[in-house]
Amino acid sequence: MVPVDVIPSRLLCMSLAGAGVLSEPGHFSWLEKLLLLLLIVLSGTLFWKRFGVVVGKILGARRDAGFRLFPIGKRVWDFFWEVLCQAKVIRERPLPGLAHAFVFWSFLAFALVTLNHVAVGFGIGFLDAAGAFGRVYFWIAGLFALACAVSIAGLFVRRFVVRPVWLARPALPGHEVSYESGIIAGLIFVLMATYLAAFFVGEASMAARLLWWSHTLALLVFLPLVPHTKHLHLILSPVTIFLSRGGFSEIPALDGDEDFGLVTGKDLTQLVALQAFSCVECGRCTEHCPAANTGKSLNPKEIVLGVRSYLNEFGPTAEELLLGKYNAQESAFQCTTCGACEFQCPVGIEHLPIIVGLRRGAVNTGAWEDSHGTKLFLAMERNSNALGLSAMEREKFVQKAELPIFDGTQEYCLWLGCMGGYDPKGREIIRSFVEVMQYLGTSYGVMRKEKCTGDPARRLGNDLVFQELAESNLEAMQQQKVKKIISICPHCVRTIQEDWKAFGAPPEVEHHSEFLARHQARLPQQKTDEKIAYHDPCYLGRYRDVYDEPRAVISAAGTLVEAERNRERSFCCGAGGGLAFLGEETGQRVSHVRAQELVATGATTIGAACPFCNTMFRDALAATGEGAPQLLDIAQIAARSLPSAVTVARIQ
Amino acid sequence: MKIIVAIKQVPERDARIRIDAEGTWIDLQDVEFTLNESDAYALEEALQLKEEHGGEVVVLSAGPERVGKTIREALAKGADRAIHVESDDLAAYDALGVARLLAAAVKDEQADLILTGLQSDDLGLGQTGVILAELLGLPHASLILKIEAAEGGVKVLRELEDGWFQHVELPTPAVLTIQSGNSKLRYATLMGIKKAKTKEVRRVTPLELAAEPEASVVVLERVLLPNKQRTTQILGGSPAEAAAALVEKLRFEVRAL
Amino acid sequence: MSELTSGVLVFLEIKNREISRISWEAMAAAHTLAEGHGLSVDVALVSSPGNPIFETIHGKAPRTVYAIDHPLLHEYTADGFAAAYAQLIEQVNPSYVVFPHTYQVRDFAPCLATRFKQVLISDVTGIETHAGAETAPPTFIRQLLQGKLNAHYRHRGTGPCFLSIQAGAFRADAAEAGATTLATFEPRLDAAKIRTKPGEPFRASAQTVDLGSASILVSVGRGIKEEANLPIVQELATALGAELAASRPICDSGWLPMERQVGSSGQTVAPKVYLAIGISGAIQHLVGMKGSQCIVAINKDENAPIFEVADYGIVGDLFDVVPALTAAVLKAKG
Ligand SMILES: Cc1cc2nc3c(=O)[nH]c(=O)nc-3n(C[C@H](O)[C@H](O)[C@H](O)COP(=O)(O)OP(=O)(O)OC[C@H]3O[C@@H](n4cnc5c(N)ncnc54)[C@H](O)[C@@H]3O)c2cc1C
Ligand code: SF4
Ligand code: SF4
């Protein structure tokens, strides 16, 4: 960053003393006016030549069937918070974020200045530089200009000297750095410098005229560059943020009998097109992507830009397959749906509807041929669970663990899920959680029959299987009069609460961490100084905004330690998006990378809150050799504090 | 190539088994049904042949109305049309009776190949295809893993016992019964299901086929639950004793040695 | 029924130049049936009468052994066998026709039965004869729904009753020694009516690892500790005639190739016997081998989840148990 003391001290003194007044050229000749007009028309034409095309492509795309503008409150808030306050930009990358925010705020401040600037050229300037309002306003704008000039210089240095890898597009040769960004930065710098300099020249002097024209020319060059470069986000991203779907990772309902997801250009909707053109190529998404970070070909930024390139080349009505020239099927199926990308994106791009949309397009038409994927779908079709195991196995466990059957009289329906019902380790979590509920005297029962919530099918884009499972479960819940579901699995929770909605009204559902935190006070307190590292499951954190509850459970039992990436920035375990059921990963295993991060905290215990994270880490920790920390679910951590009678019962 | 695939709807593999009031079959209440496994492979073989050589795949199934769902799934996977022999009491027919119905339903189709699964997961008779061949006067081969088109007919790969195989050539039309496991099954897709809605399903009754049940020569009198349940037997003793006990089990109970 | 008292006709099969074990078992089943109903047992075999194999056939007298002999029967075809057998059945006119339930029988017997307007009762596991057998026909037991249900079948009406007997359902050694008469039966066969052209049997090349078709798998897990210890399981696999498989950590370490990994991200297998050695039974492993007919677990931790799915378990140190097992297998195989 440019140190503050570079700011010319003279300027400071002068403006503080009230001596600096913005100088404008005096009278403009008709020749100058004509030239100005011509230049404006030229600049505007060049601008529209590209911008008009972009708008045409966006509007030419299919309408978003489920889109509702109302309720508008959240949209207004998001606009205020993310656009006007630049909150996301700043929070996720504080220093460059702040620099960006200053550039943005200066642009806002300059709106009026620029309007007046051009008006002056036609002799109709409306701000009196010497008047009280003009004086104050120009000063304020001057301060912003200063901040902006410093910021843009800093950003320039970052991009061209520091060169963060995320800004690059390694897949495209020649795109190691974006030179157009350099030009834009230069122009912004010129704009600010010419503005500031005008404080130091004489009113109506030749110098003032020269500055005015330089500023104007910079402006008129800048304008057409905007739609031709990623700086299009200047115009589009506020719209994108305002018009976002709203929900996190919200997968839109299919629209009629001909909609199979994103198959060809015809399936791209206006929102997807708008988002594709809004991407500013900042790479925040890729920086946080577990797939991109472990050597897979998936790169969420390139997914978005792939859609943009598709639109540029083929347009929104093309029959060309989307998974083809610009986006690879293999990449689309490497996504764990962790949501880090969507969460990070400062311009409101919703990656998951796009990635899941591409998967839907491939799966719903049968184009995705993967032996593990097919096995998974067949298992879900036939056995109604992703593991392909017999429902009898679940029944046997229910009997052995003496879990009561839900009959409508109990408060909670305890949802076992595939891991709780079939996985030996998942069953241990269920047993622990049941002990806690018994201790608290909470009444619960399990469904006699339970089918997979459809999560893996949903995330992999198999709408047929997902719909069948969701509908059949919803029907069973209705018959049994289930009002409240509790589950140890964030994937089940999410799918029941959000994704089932497309087919009916799901019962209320909560994750066991929320239940445990709420009843924490009633459990025996047995805090030790054991160091416990907590791993935020994607589907509990980013998807459900539950960060503090599991931490409360852990803090009651030991000393909570945080992994380097935590909460909203938590790094995926690798299981989501149906990937736990597919074949071996290319590159490094995501689970091993994350497990190492957790081990690096020095904790003796790792606290998990998702049976999938649990199974991933169990395997990954075993590979780290002797002395690996123990792995427990928060239910197991909570159950440890119970009087031993209950625990003894468990061991038997 | 015109191929008929006879498919059967059977209770889901992990269906809960309770015996019905008459004691002659399982209680079908809350039982879910699915496509018989080896029939799924027969269908897959047929679809692959069609993809390679063109032609038509017609699925044929006998059973009550609920069979319609399985037929639709087959259409969704790519079959072109279907024949549903609708009957609520197929149990009144023995294997010969059912095969007579199927034969009557397809005799005018002039198909090049008729495929069936090797055997059904419920009754496990493993005969329908072979009887069908006899009734239609066609050559047949059973336990088929792969079908290739050949001069005047087909060349098929047949599984023999103990890891042996054999190629067999047959003139078409012919009947083949397909063994599970050789090809990769496809999953049903949304697009397939949507397309299936417009495909033709011809419904015929036994009466229309003029195949009233002749008195069955073989009758299923009653069914019983076996008293053996799968449990783990821990073989104790010294390593040598445990090993000897295990070998004994593998020889005489599992009959694998 | 009275004119149909000629008895039980059993068709035997040859395997590796001997009467196959399952044929003897079918004969034992035939005797059960014959005794309950006071019938005689005749046997038939496709072979030239000079074949010394006939000397190995003994049984309770009186007994006729038919040598079905025709050049067109040198290789098996459904058309040839069905025609030849049908002619013999017409000549002998038995009440019961019994087969071993082999792949070959499954191929032609249903068609043969159809020619007599009969239905083969296939894969029979038990026969119950009833008192007053003249009037009460026997009950045939077979399994339904993959063994989850037993069913009682009965034959009705006139004409021979066709049965095929499941391997191992009857004890072969129940057949006793006795005198036999050898009769040659030469069927009339027409080459033009044999429509299928069989090729030479062959074995699948053992080049590629194919866990899917192995009938016994010896699978090894992290309990083996070091690559250098692998030979002890390899020896067991060799003794059993089994393929070697593994859990993921073994393949991750490169001790065995990826194609041998069983589990959710590897192969799904369903052999007749699956031996899990030093494998804990993580869910990703279980889903790949759960369908095995018989699961054997060897693990030193009695609480290992693998025991939950095992049919037989040995709790112990694999370094003691596996060599002992190899020795026991070799001993049993002579
Ligand atoms: C997405 C994903 C996919 C996976 N896919 C697969 C897969 O396809 N296949 C697979 O196998 N795994 C898979 N895994 C890994 C799986 O979770 C387990 O980590 C793995 O199966 C454990 O292998 P193991 O049983 O050999 O090792 P461990 O779990 O370490 O078990 C070793 C066992 O050996 C026993 N033992 C140790 N010493 C002795 C001795 N001297 N004598 C007798 N017993 C002894 C121990 O008691 C223990 O039970 C996958 C994991 C994930 C997360
Ligand atoms: S959801 Fe996660 S894995 Fe998928 S692209 Fe985004 S960051 Fe990568
Ligand atoms: S998609 Fe969003 S986060 Fe990713 S590069 Fe584009 S603007 Fe940045």
Side-chain angles (χ1 to χ4, degrees), chain A residues 37-351:
Chain A
L37 190 66
L38 281 177
L39 287 175
I40 290 176
V41 170
L42 181 67
S43 173
T45 311
L46 288 175
F47 169 83
W48 187 254
K49 258 192 92 169
R50 174 65 191 150
F51 191 67
V53 170
V54 170
V55 170
K57 291 197 189 254
I58 295 172
L59 294 180
R62 208 159 57 88
R63 297 184 72 94
D64 291 82
F67 183 81
R68 300 274 172 281
L69 194 61
F70 293 92
I72 207 162
K74 182 171 181 306
R75 296 187 185 283
V76 173
W77 167 255
D78 285 349
F79 188 84
F80 170 75
W81 187 239
E82 286 178 27
V83 179
L84 298 183
C85 299
Q86 296 272 290
K88 217 168 186 175
V89 183
I90 298 172
R91 188 178 54 197
E92 300 303 331
R93 283 181 182 171
L95 221 51
L98 210 59
H100 179 275
F102 275 117
V103 176
F104 171 73
W105 290 324
S106 325
F107 275 37
L108 291 187
F110 264 69
L112 203 59
V113 173
T114 304
L115 219 56
N116 180 61
H117 180 91
V118 178
V120 164
F122 292 110
I124 47 170
F126 49 87
L127 283 181
D128 178 6
F133 176 76
R135 211 168 215 204
V136 173
Y137 193 83
F138 284 139
W139 277 357
I140 294 173
L143 286 176
F144 272 112
L146 201 60
C148 176
V150 171
S151 297
I152 203 78
L155 290 173
F156 184 90
V157 169
R158 171 169 177 268
R159 181 176 295 268
F160 293 97
V161 181
V162 183
R163 294 197 175 199
V165 49
W166 309 115
L167 294 179
R169 297 189 62 193
L172 302 183
H175 281 68
E176 287 77 18
V177 289
S178 149
Y179 291 103
E180 58 191 47
S181 298
I183 297 170
I184 292 277
L187 283 172
I188 295 176
F189 193 81
V190 169
L191 281 172
M192 297 305 144
T194 49
Y195 175 76
L196 288 173
F199 283 98
F200 303 97
V201 296
E203 178 73 17
S205 64
M206 192 58 198
R209 189 168 298 267
L210 275 177
L211 283 175
W212 188 93
W213 272 107
S214 320
H215 191 89
T216 308
L217 285 176
L219 202 63
L220 295 179
V221 172
F222 182 77
L223 183 67
L225 277 182
V226 167
H228 283 92
T229 63
K230 67 196 178 70
H231 298 86
L232 185 57
H233 82 278
L234 284 179
I235 307 168
L236 294 187
S237 69
V239 185
T240 311
I241 290 172
F242 186 74
L243 292 180
S244 75
R245 290 188 180 79
F248 185 71
S249 179
E250 186 176 313
I251 299 161
L254 293 176
D255 179 19
D257 275 354
E258 293 299 313
D259 188 358
F260 300 110
L262 303 180
V263 185
T264 68
K266 287 186 166 157
D267 302 307
L268 294 172
T269 65
Q270 294 179 338
L271 277 184
V272 172
L274 173 66
Q275 295 181 2
F277 282 114
S278 304
C279 173
V280 62
E281 302 176 28
C282 67
R284 282 173 162 83
C285 49
T286 303
E287 182 184 346
H288 291 86
C289 172
N293 277 286
T294 53
K296 280 122 188 121
S297 63
L298 169 63
N299 176 330
K301 167 164 122 181
E302 294 298 335
I303 295 263
V304 177
L305 295 178
V307 173
R308 180 197 288 180
S309 303
Y310 179 99
L311 284 168
N312 280 333
E313 181 170 345
F314 305 110
T317 52
E319 300 270 5
E320 188 77 18
L321 290 177
L322 288 165
L323 288 177
K325 185 164 174 189
Y326 292 109
N327 275 314
Q329 192 188 71
E330 183 197 48
S331 308
F333 284 90
Q334 288 172 338
C335 170
T336 67
T337 67
C338 74
C341 49
E342 186 165 323
F343 189 87
Q344 287 290 333
C345 182
V347 300
I349 291 171
E350 294 160 312
H351 299 71

Side-chain angles (χ1 to χ4, degrees), chain C residues 157-242:
Chain C
T158 53
C161 169
F162 290 77
L163 309 173
S164 68
I165 307 297
Q166 188 176 78
F170 290 81
R171 283 195 95 105
D173 51 9
E176 291 165 24
T180 55
T181 334
L182 185 64
T184 307
F185 178 75
E186 285 178 17
R188 299 166 309 278
L189 297 178
D190 176 359
K193 293 217 167 118
I194 294 176
R195 297 164 292 183
T196 56
K197 250 204 294 183
E200 273 303 304
F202 61 91
R203 255 181 189 281
S205 71
Q207 303 296 339
T208 52
V209 184
D210 183 10
L211 298 186
S213 63
S215 74
I216 306 181
L217 284 177
V218 170
S219 192
V220 54
R222 189 149 32 210
I224 196 75
K225 298 211 170 56
E226 286 173 34
E227 187 173 11
N229 297 330
L230 280 180
I232 67 161
V233 282
Q234 181 62 62
E235 279 156 25
L236 175 61
T238 312
L240 285 165

Side-chain angles (χ1 to χ4, degrees), chain B residues 49-64:
Chain B
L49 280 174
K50 183 182 100 168
E51 278 156 10
E52 200 178 326
H53 303 287
E56 190 187 16
V57 174
V58 183
V59 292
L60 164 69
S61 189

Side-chain angles (χ1 to χ4, degrees), chain A residues 574-575 579-585 589 591 612 615-620 622, chain C residues 220-225 246-250 261-267 277-286 298-302 304-306 316-319:
Chain A
L579 297 203
F581 305 103
L582 300 187
E584 291 296 350
E585 300 171 37
R589 284 191 187 127
S591 58
F612 282 99
T615 200
M616 298 306 278
F617 294 148
R618 183 161 309 281
D619 169 63
Chain C
V220 54
R222 189 149 32 210
I224 196 75
K225 298 211 170 56
S247 68
R248 185 162 88 171
I250 303 302
Q261 177 176 324
V262 168
S264 68
S265 55
Q267 310 286 315
I277 300 173
I279 291 178
S280 62
I283 187 75
Q284 292 86 359
H285 190 80
L286 294 185
I298 300 172
N299 197 305
K300 67 175 181 188
D301 172 11
E302 61 179 324
I306 191 75
D317 190 328
L318 72 90
F319 297 102

